[in-house]
Amino acid sequence: METPTQPIVVKPRPRGADRYQYLTQTNAGTPAGELLRRYWQPVATSDSLPKDGAPQPIRIMGEDLVLFRDDKGKVGLIDRKCAHRCTDLALGRIEDGGIRCPYHGWLFDVNGRCLDQPAEASPTAKDRIRMKSYPIHEAGGAFWAYMGPGEAPLFPNYPALAGGDEFRYTTRWFGDCNWMQASEGNIDPVHTSYLHQLELTSSDMQARWGVFANQARPELAVEDTRFGVRLYTLRKIDGTDRSSIRITNFVMPNACAVGGFEGYLGEGGLTMLWDVPIDDEHHWRWEFIFHRSGQLDKAALAKQYESEKAEGDRMRRDKRDLYSQDRDSMKREAYLGLGECFSVHDIAITQSQGTIHDQTGEHLSSSDIAIMRARRMLDEGAKDVAEGRDPRGVVRAESENQFTDLVVVTGEIESTESKEMFCARYASDPTLFALNNKGVTE
């Protein structure tokens, strides 16, 4: 497929009190919009476009597109407006190797080429018509699009996107706010002890889920990686000389790799989240929950998630009544009073910041070091793009397309061991997230 070839004028990166506010803007031609377009972005779940399925409207970063599968099974993502008279191609017919506009019969293939103009006198006029189209890759239970210029980078071989459906649970949520505040919530290591606080009743739960209950002031540190930022969070364990350690990651430009509901299966699991702009006021929260054992309780996950969803992957709870917050439950098991689903907690709390979070009104503290580093890294990435360079995390070489260094661990560390050495032990273990085709843990 080909991407648009016309030059794009990128707006300058501002400075001042709202230095990073510009990163909330993601239309084509904005610095953040051009940065995000240099990476593969999820656009639809695989099961939403079955064989003989209807064309699917897609809105991403302010662009209106249509995703379709032709009658040969090929998948395309092209401009939603027909090149003839701007008819909505989501109404189109799937036939004859493409999608046919129902208004005058113009036919387009998955690459945006016009294959047929039934009423046109010239048999070669169609050869001069080319719709905007983007490359599509299917992985992790989703279709992904590359919307940048030139040759698409390699699709990143992240563990959470590898293997078959038995190793992963994929879902998404509609977010009624800007993408950036949602993304920053994923790399805020302190909020887990408050927003997601759990009641722990056993030593095993303490070991696996202690970070969601321990309110001790954590020791925080970050370090740059080739794909983003690594976060270390250590919390003292009362009555011992050990600390809980949680290693998570910001993955450029709008993803993260963290632990999640798969923790009960032990090592070999992680969750990756993408917050993908629909436009500047809405986003999709994508979740790819993975465990190498293939023993995820996907039925239980689906039951919990679907109980909180309305039609169109929207949250059932409505902000107009404060998300049906149960203040009585806050006295017992539910810190936020919004049930047990972490995704609901995250979506509600980031939406409460406003449609587009006003950074000039915030007072950042020492616990926000990961957020500040991520903002600077996005700023650096926007500069790289403006100056014609690939930003951090874009993969061009097969030798770089393995991610054993994308370490996600929740465990305990002795006071005599450094966090860096603890992390290095996992980074050097290529089997941590390796798939076990037998479907059982090694």
Side-chain angles (χ1 to χ4, degrees):
M1 297 186 186
E2 294 186 2
T3 51
T5 57
Q6 65 268 29
I8 295 176
V9 178
V10 180
K11 298 177 182 178
R13 296 155 50 243
R15 291 292 181 264
D18 58 347
R19 174 178 176 180
Y20 303 111
Q21 194 76 32
Y22 82 97
L23 294 170
T24 63
Q25 302 166 13
T26 61
N27 285 353
T30 63
E34 293 307 307
L35 172 64
L36 288 163
R37 283 168 172 78
R38 266 52 176 189
Y39 301 80
W40 290 93
Q41 302 288 349
V43 295
T45 58
S46 296
D47 60 11
S48 68
L49 195 67
K51 183 180 179 181
D52 301 324
Q56 184 175 158
I58 300 291
R59 183 167 173 80
I60 177 171
M61 292 184 280
E63 295 190 37
D64 288 305
L65 309 167
V66 63
L67 183 75
F68 69 97
R69 189 188 295 272
D70 70 18
D71 49 1
K72 302 297 191 297
K74 294 181 180 178
V75 178
L77 183 68
I78 67 174
D79 200 332
R80 186 171 174 177
K81 291 184 177 180
C82 176
H84 181 205
R85 298 266 296 280
C86 300
T87 298
D88 186 354
L89 287 179
L91 300 170
R93 297 172 57 90
I94 303 300
E95 60 189 25
D96 301 326
I99 185 170
R100 190 180 293 278
C101 178
Y103 200 8
H104 301 96
W106 286 26
L107 179 70
F108 301 93
D109 69 7
V110 296
N111 298 308
R113 289 191 296 259
C114 186
L115 303 179
D116 188 26
Q117 296 172 314
E120 177 61 46
S122 168
T124 61
K126 68 180 187 307
D127 300 330
R128 298 190 294 271
I129 304 297
R130 193 65 176 264
M131 294 270 281
K132 176 172 62 179
S133 68
Y134 295 118
I136 288 290
H137 181 84
E138 186 174 3
F143 292 111
W144 302 69
Y146 173 71
M147 299 174 62
E151 183 179 357
L154 297 179
F155 188 82
N157 191 30
Y158 298 135
L161 306 179
D165 290 342
E166 67 269 27
F167 298 100
R168 184 198 60 258
Y169 179 77
T170 298
T171 191
R172 70 175 187 174
W173 300 77
F174 177 82
D176 196 15
C177 65
N178 185 262
W179 75 278
M180 189 175 172
Q181 63 212 59
S183 181
E184 290 182 344
N186 300 329
I187 56 172
D188 175 353
V190 174
H191 86 277
T192 60
S193 292
Y194 294 89
L195 188 67
H196 302 316
Q197 187 178 145
L198 299 175
E199 289 290 334
L200 304 180
T201 58
S202 69
S203 58
D204 181 67
M205 290 182 69
Q206 179 68 42
R208 298 276 184 220
W209 301 96
V211 296
F212 300 107
N214 186 338
Q215 292 190 14
R217 181 181 296 138
E219 174 189 329
L220 304 175
V222 298
E223 62 185 15
D224 289 359
T225 65
R226 64 192 178 98
F227 50 78
V229 181
R230 180 175 293 124
L231 291 70
Y232 295 101
T233 307
L234 284 79
R235 293 174 170 89
K236 292 292 185 182
I237 299 175
D238 290 342
T240 75
D241 60 355
R242 300 189 307 277
S243 296
S244 70
I245 181 170
R246 190 171 191 238
I247 302 176
T248 56
N249 304 267
F250 167 63
V251 181
M252 279 282 284
N254 59 325
C256 71
V258 298
F261 291 115
E262 70 286 350
Y264 63 89
L265 291 175
E267 291 180 354
L270 77 160
T271 296
M272 291 195 73
L273 307 175
W274 268 261
D275 289 291
V276 182
I278 298 171
D279 50 39
D280 291 349
E281 297 185 347
H282 311 88
H283 71 279
W284 287 113
R285 171 192 170 100
W286 284 86
E287 301 186 19
F288 300 88
I289 302 172
F290 168 89
H291 200 281
R292 68 173 181 183
S293 71
Q295 294 182 330
L296 285 170
D297 190 346
K298 294 195 286 185
L301 284 169
K303 181 179 180 180
Q304 183 189 67
Y305 280 33
E306 294 307 315
S307 70
E308 291 285 0
K309 283 187 178 182
E311 186 178 356
D313 289 321
R314 292 173 179 265
M315 193 165 61
R316 176 179 58 80
R317 299 169 184 268
D318 194 320
K319 61 183 176 183
R320 289 174 294 186
D321 70 347
L322 292 180
Y323 306 103
S324 303
Q325 187 183 43
D326 181 354
R327 298 198 70 84
D328 186 56
S329 74
M330 296 169 70
K331 303 172 184 176
R332 304 185 306 275
E333 72 281 359
Y335 188 85
L336 180 61
L338 299 187
E340 298 179 353
C341 183
F342 286 11
S343 302
V344 168
H345 304 170
D346 289 331
I347 296 167
I349 213 71
T350 52
Q351 288 182 173
S352 77
Q353 294 174 290
T355 303
I356 302 177
H357 168 51
D358 182 6
Q359 297 168 8
T360 60
E362 63 186 10
H363 295 79
L364 297 178
S365 67
S366 60
S367 66
D368 298 310
I369 57 173
I371 290 171
M372 284 306 303
R373 182 62 193 117
R375 288 182 185 178
R376 293 190 187 102
M377 192 168 283
L378 289 167
D379 188 51
E380 293 160 4
K383 181 179 180 181
D384 286 337
V385 169
E387 295 177 356
R389 297 185 297 271
D390 276 339
R392 187 188 300 260
V394 168
V395 181
R396 297 285 181 185
E398 287 288 355
S399 60
E400 299 173 357
N401 201 17
Q402 55 79 32
F403 290 91
T404 59
D405 52 341
L406 188 63
V407 174
V408 176
V409 172
T410 299
E412 295 185 6
I413 185 172
E414 299 290 341
S415 60
T416 55
E417 185 175 17
S418 74
K419 58 186 181 297
E420 292 82 7
M421 289 299 295
F422 181 92
C423 180
R425 285 196 283 116
Y426 286 92
S428 63
D429 181 2
T431 68
L432 181 60
F433 298 114
L435 297 177
N436 178 359
N437 292 328
K438 297 179 181 178
V440 295
T441 51
E442 297 288 345

